Amino acid sequence: MAKTVIIEEFGGPEKLKVVDREVGDPGLGEIRIAQQFAGLNFIDVYQRTGMYPGQLPLSLGMEAAGIVDAVGEGVTHLKPGDRAAYASMPPGAYAEVRVMPATQVVKLPDGIGFDTAAAMMLQGLTVEYLFHRICHVRKGDTVLFHAAAGGVGLIACQWARSEGINLIGTAGSDEKCALALEHGATHCINYRTEDFAAKVRELTDGRGVDVVMDSVGADTFEGSLNSIRPLGWMISFGSASGPVPPFSIAELGAKGSIKLTRPTLFTFIAERETCQKMADHLFEKVESGAVKINIGQRFKLDNTRAAHEALEARKTTGSTILEI
């Protein structure tokens, strides 16, 4: 039996329940992993509320790190005793032990702790694809990155600095802006006190940025479009403030033939070889010291509700993890 956090109906953080679940043996292409830490992400909130519906009862959590204790038939890249980490479908990371598909589970280098790995897999792989798998942001380019003091944002600030990319961040307080600047943002705009689109134009001498990376959604979408140079990119990769409402695609032409995409990480890591290459790139950044993972909050598995409440209230900075 393994302690597991589930929901039996969609709704608020009060719907989270801790139960004991039986854990079986891994089948074809699966592993069983004893988990040390799990990461907390906004996708967990989307699944809990039903914005991204799943079959109930549903165990939540998309990333974790621990030790492989059994492998099923056909699994050749992992063995019992391996240190491992993942960002993977299906959800179920909020658990002491789980059986799961092995495809997106990668070996964890000895130099990276379980807590660090759980805090960085989904967020770090997200940054890797944002910078390298869509429009290949180059040295000297300027990027607007919303929620720059969050878990993904602080990794993105450091990643940009390590590659000579100018990153203009946004955050909801002067303190959060200071944190983003400490982590490598070239500028950071407090969106509560300034019109970020107007400030972006000022900072770029009226040109606009090459790429916007926007995980906020409804609240920032229009301003994001107004911040992009002609022929630039709009990458909408999340909906923290709610989904982007319908709009006319003619706006993209009117604003300078802007290219718009709505990607998800799991498309990029669907194949094991690509997932491993992306993970290796992330591990290299972390082991070299170019990217340091900021764990801003730690909660016990039994206190997952409080973790969700803090995340939704935007009271978190950096990454949030659950200690299992």
Side-chain angles (χ1 to χ4, degrees):
M1 303 295 287
K3 188 183 294 185
T4 306
V5 178
I6 67 167
I7 58 168
E8 294 175 328
E9 57 183 315
F10 300 118
E14 73 280 359
K15 301 298 183 183
L16 295 163
K17 301 175 67 172
V18 181
V19 300
D20 287 321
R21 272 187 166 181
E22 187 171 348
V23 181
D25 296 322
L28 179 66
E30 294 181 329
I31 64 159
R32 187 171 63 219
I33 182 169
Q35 306 192 131
Q36 307 295 308
F37 295 90
L40 190 75
N41 299 280
F42 247 99
I43 191 172
D44 307 349
V45 174
Y46 302 155
Q47 291 169 348
R48 192 203 71 226
T49 61
M51 181 186 294
Y52 294 175
Q55 185 174 352
L56 298 171
L58 178 67
S59 178
L60 299 178
M62 305 299 292
E63 66 177 340
I67 299 173
V68 177
D69 75 0
V71 300
E73 183 181 349
V75 177
T76 58
H77 67 290
L78 295 166
K79 65 182 185 303
D82 280 347
R83 304 173 77 251
Y86 65 86
S88 177
M89 294 284 279
Y94 297 179
E96 293 175 322
V97 182
R98 71 178 295 201
V99 169
M100 64 179 295
T103 303
Q104 281 82 42
V105 183
V106 297
K107 282 187 180 179
L108 182 65
D110 291 340
I112 299 177
F114 290 122
D115 55 348
T116 299
M120 77 179 191
M121 288 304 294
L122 191 146
Q123 296 171 349
L125 291 173
T126 295
V127 172
E128 204 279 347
Y129 89 70
L130 288 172
F131 281 85
H132 297 282
R133 308 283 162 175
I134 297 176
C135 53
H136 303 287
V137 187
R138 297 180 295 272
K139 182 177 180 179
D141 284 351
T142 300
V143 169
L144 174 62
F145 202 102
H146 292 296
V152 179
L154 292 182
I155 295 172
C157 289
Q158 297 173 84
W159 201 290
R161 179 173 58 188
S162 75
E163 300 192 349
I165 295 161
N166 301 310
L167 186 144
I168 300 173
T170 71
S173 70
D174 291 342
E175 292 77 15
K176 288 187 175 184
C177 282
L179 188 61
L181 292 169
E182 289 171 15
H183 282 74
T186 308
H187 303 279
C188 194
I189 303 164
N190 183 340
Y191 65 80
R192 297 190 189 278
T193 60
E194 291 192 87
D195 179 336
F196 73 81
K199 186 64 176 178
V200 164
R201 291 290 175 179
E202 177 186 326
L203 291 170
T204 59
D205 296 323
R207 177 177 179 269
V209 299
D210 299 289
V211 184
V212 173
M213 300 176 181
D214 188 341
S215 64
V216 176
D219 288 353
T220 53
F221 185 75
E222 184 175 353
S224 291
L225 291 181
N226 292 334
S227 302
I228 304 172
R229 67 162 174 83
L231 303 179
W233 278 87
M234 170 67 182
I235 304 174
S236 176
F237 69 102
S239 308
S241 66
V244 174
F247 74 104
S248 170
I249 62 170
E251 289 186 41
L252 301 177
K255 293 182 183 296
S257 301
I258 292 169
K259 298 176 281 288
L260 168 67
T261 184
R262 177 54 171 95
T264 64
L265 169 64
F266 301 106
T267 309
F268 291 90
I269 62 173
E271 295 184 358
R272 195 187 75 76
E273 292 77 10
T274 302
C275 181
Q276 187 66 60
K277 286 179 182 177
M278 292 172 65
D280 288 344
H281 196 182
L282 173 61
F283 294 154
E284 176 189 340
K285 290 282 189 185
V286 173
E287 290 192 294
S288 72
V291 171
K292 293 180 171 61
I293 304 303
N294 181 308
I295 301 175
Q297 299 75 217
R298 297 170 182 255
F299 294 85
K300 297 289 189 181
L301 188 66
D302 288 337
N303 205 22
T304 301
R305 173 177 174 172
H308 272 241
E309 289 171 343
L311 185 65
E312 283 189 282
R314 301 192 187 185
K315 293 181 178 178
T316 63
T317 57
S319 299
T320 303
I321 59 173
L322 301 175
E323 184 177 347
I324 300 172

